[in-house]
Amino acid sequence: MNNNKVYDLAYGAVHTLYERYLPDVEKSISTFELTGKVSQPVQMSKEESSNTPAPMEGFLAYENPAIGIRLQYPEGWDKIEDVGFDSGATGVVFSPSSTSNIKDIRSLGINYQLLPSPATTLSQFADKEFNHTKAENFKGILESNETTVAGLPAHKVVSTQQDSSGKDLISMKIFTIKDGIGYTVFYTGLEGAYSNFMPITQKVINSLEITK
């Protein structure tokens, strides 16, 4: 408290990343000074105040500063955050609204997790994640190749599987790593409609930015 003013310093992060960024936060806190001077707020232009691009027509902007993810997703879709995955990852999942007539897309989203070692390679992460998340009703791999996502080297795997009712699905996973964190972009749809919704999926993927 200074001159009857109260100052509140706060730090928040997803629990899996809290300890990772705490040393940097503590350094920032240690530089904090109370000078007794009050400066007039600096007016910023719209361009300066936000680096977030304007959403594409028919899309909404999504940003999660805690993990450094920014993307755009279709209007009218549901968004579920802080979803836990069997691999230990946490992420966000988008899907057509339950009231929508679109039933052919099962899920579209991205998850993240700390890598077991800073030396973990993209190949090691992709192999481990794909094998760990492979469905029990896995049928086979249609495609496996190198690509890029969010401007980073990545590996894409497209595979086939069946859901619990026996319907055939196609699943795409794109794996990438940055600064000790592994990211998986995923899309799953019914086999007969998978390619129909790929243009929408590709727009979401192309809009992805990893800002950390």
Side-chain angles (χ1 to χ4, degrees):
M1 184 176 294
N2 183 40
N3 296 331
N4 298 320
K5 295 183 178 68
V6 176
Y7 299 84
D8 184 9
L9 302 181
Y11 162 54
V14 177
H15 67 90
T16 55
L17 300 178
Y18 181 87
E19 294 293 337
R20 177 184 177 87
Y21 295 111
L22 186 57
D24 291 333
V25 172
E26 290 177 333
K27 287 181 182 178
S28 297
I29 292 174
S30 68
T31 65
F32 180 70
E33 295 182 53
L34 295 177
T35 63
K37 298 179 180 180
V38 179
S39 301
Q40 293 298 318
V42 178
Q43 297 297 321
M44 300 176 66
S45 67
K46 291 182 179 180
E47 290 76 15
E48 293 174 317
S49 63
S50 175
N51 292 321
T52 304
M56 298 176 286
E57 184 177 356
F59 283 72
L60 299 173
Y62 171 77
E63 184 170 7
N64 188 326
I67 59 175
I69 292 175
R70 181 187 299 153
L71 55 76
Q72 298 178 30
Y73 68 98
E75 289 181 345
W77 283 32
D78 292 331
K79 173 188 66 184
I80 306 176
E81 298 182 280
D82 297 326
V83 178
F85 294 78
D86 291 341
S87 62
T90 304
V92 56
V93 177
F94 305 95
S95 61
S97 169
S98 57
T99 60
S100 168
N101 292 326
I102 301 175
K103 306 299 181 183
D104 299 332
I105 296 179
R106 296 303 172 87
S107 62
L108 169 62
I110 179 170
N111 64 44
Y112 66 95
Q113 60 184 292
L114 291 177
L115 298 176
S117 165
T120 301
T121 66
L122 172 58
S123 177
Q124 290 171 334
F125 172 65
D127 288 344
K128 176 179 177 294
E129 279 304 290
F130 180 74
N131 289 325
H132 187 91
T133 59
K134 187 186 297 183
E136 294 181 3
N137 43 11
F138 171 79
K139 295 175 64 178
I141 293 177
L142 299 177
E143 179 184 345
S144 178
N145 53 50
E146 303 305 312
T147 185
T148 59
V149 66
L152 300 170
H155 189 90
K156 178 172 74 173
V157 179
V158 180
S159 61
T160 56
Q161 62 190 64
Q162 287 186 330
D163 65 12
S164 58
S165 65
K167 293 181 179 179
D168 291 329
L169 306 174
I170 296 181
S171 175
M172 177 181 71
K173 291 183 173 68
I174 302 176
F175 308 97
T176 192
I177 59 177
K178 182 180 181 182
D179 297 335
I181 300 177
Y183 298 88
T184 303
V185 180
F186 54 88
Y187 161 51
T188 302
L190 288 177
E191 186 174 51
Y194 175 87
S195 60
N196 296 339
F197 293 97
M198 184 52 72
I200 292 177
T201 299
Q202 198 60 56
K203 285 183 178 181
V204 175
I205 294 173
N206 291 345
S207 73
L208 174 65
E209 297 178 62
I210 298 176
T211 60
K212 279 292 186 184

